[in-house]
Amino acid sequence: MIDEGAESGNTTGPAPVVALFSGLDPTGGAGIAADIIAVRDTGAYALPFLTANTVQGQNVKARFVPIDPTFLLDQIQAVFPSIQTESVKIGMIGTPAIFHLILNAVTRFFPGIPVVLDPVASASSGGCLVSPASRDAILAAGSQIRLLTPNLLELEWLAGHAIRHSDDLDRALAIVGRHGFQAVLVKGGHGEGDPEDKLFIDRKQVEAWKGRRVPVSPRGTGCRLAAFIAGKLASGDDLIHAVHAAYQYVQCYILGSPFTGCTR
Ligand code: PLP
């Protein structure tokens, strides 16, 4: 918790804190910039840690430079001992070494807090945002992750096969389940027809959110969804309520309507 009210003269009380680990997208649409906004929109306080810097833009294939892990560790060690953190969101991991360092630090300083992992593999504008070893590193971390939030392309990448039918999806969930991921939110935006996001716990579908396909696809929807969930979990929401609120939040973002703080 961090007492923002004390500094600003307000008496709003302490805000729950979310640590964000993500890349910098200089268009401002995705990555850490989007994460910070989404966390603030939950009422939580964001601690932004950069995992990588990227070059990207319209018609520019993305490329990235990971942050120096020693430097990131120094940043974490400067901040974590004095700021109680209630949840973590990890997006672009940079490299497996950076990812391990983050998970070790979270376990050391805040054991048991929920970690939401958005397994970012490619940029919305095209171009790869992971190193080849990242897939194995992500799979190996399954038991440390409260919620995995892949879109269909990211789930295909993790599972190692195409997902066309429901039995392909079952097989993919079995693979990530074997790696210890209990809760998986599969985002349907890359499928056909009206998109449906489905929440699975232990491979059983526990909830689904069906939207309407619209002819726009703004950047950073996956980032915002995962960061908003982390913000809600930090505030004490249970997983289903957190995902539901985040789904509504991202719908407002996609449709360009102001977010009105809608919750279930
Ligand atoms: N993180 C970074 C740094 C990015 O640049 C991107 C996309 O370009 C993403 C994450 C993933 O964005 P989205 O939420 O559109 O999947």
Side-chain angles (χ1 to χ4, degrees):
M1 295 274 179
I2 199 155
D3 197 349
E4 294 194 275
E7 279 182 13
S8 62
N10 293 331
T11 51
T12 49
V17 174
V18 182
L20 299 169
F21 293 91
S22 192
L24 177 74
D25 166 13
T27 73
I32 201 95
D35 290 345
I36 295 169
I37 295 167
V39 164
R40 294 315 308 252
D41 283 343
T42 67
Y45 182 88
L47 296 179
F49 294 96
L50 211 60
T51 54
N53 204 349
T54 76
V55 173
Q56 52 186 310
Q58 214 163 14
N59 307 319
V60 177
K61 204 168 157 212
R63 61 184 206 275
F64 72 95
V65 179
I67 196 156
D68 174 358
T70 322
F71 192 74
L72 175 60
L73 187 58
D74 282 352
Q75 290 182 312
I76 292 172
Q77 286 176 336
V79 173
F80 273 8
S82 55
I83 303 185
Q84 177 59 40
T85 298
E86 277 80 23
S87 73
V88 174
K89 184 246 158 161
I90 305 173
M92 183 182 174
I93 65 169
T95 62
I98 292 173
F99 185 50
H100 290 141
L101 181 159
I102 296 167
L103 292 176
N104 288 342
V106 171
T107 307
R108 177 171 152 222
F109 286 99
F110 309 115
I113 65 169
V115 178
V116 179
L117 174 61
D118 183 21
V120 173
S122 55
S124 324
S125 52
C128 190
L129 293 178
V130 278
S131 69
S134 299
R135 174 182 170 270
D136 291 348
I138 288 175
L139 285 174
S143 61
Q144 289 164 274
I145 305 302
R146 179 75 186 88
L147 177 68
L148 181 73
T149 64
N151 61 35
L152 284 168
L153 301 178
E154 290 157 350
L155 189 56
E156 288 182 343
W157 173 65
L158 288 174
H161 65 255
I163 300 174
R164 304 265 180 275
H165 307 289
S166 63
D167 50 336
D168 299 328
L169 179 60
D170 289 346
R171 249 181 342 122
L173 289 168
I175 290 169
V176 294
R178 271 204 297 282
H179 284 88
F181 293 98
Q182 281 188 324
V184 184
L185 175 65
V186 181
K187 297 170 291 188
H190 291 82
E192 282 168 7
D194 283 338
E196 190 169 20
D197 291 359
K198 297 175 181 171
L199 178 62
F200 296 88
I201 296 180
D202 293 327
R203 293 169 58 193
K204 286 198 191 65
Q205 186 177 312
V206 293
E207 195 91 36
W209 294 268
K210 192 158 186 149
R212 197 166 38 85
R213 188 160 296 280
V214 288
V216 289
S217 78
R219 295 173 67 83
T221 52
C223 302
R224 283 163 213 264
L225 185 80
F228 200 93
I229 293 169
K232 285 290 182 183
L233 293 176
S235 313
D237 277 28
D238 66 39
L239 188 61
I240 294 181
H241 284 86
V243 175
H244 184 79
Y247 180 81
Q248 289 188 314
Y249 174 73
V250 171
Q251 288 299 303
C252 294
Y253 171 65
I254 292 172
L255 299 173
S257 50
F259 174 61
T260 52
C262 36
T263 49
R264 189 168 221 185

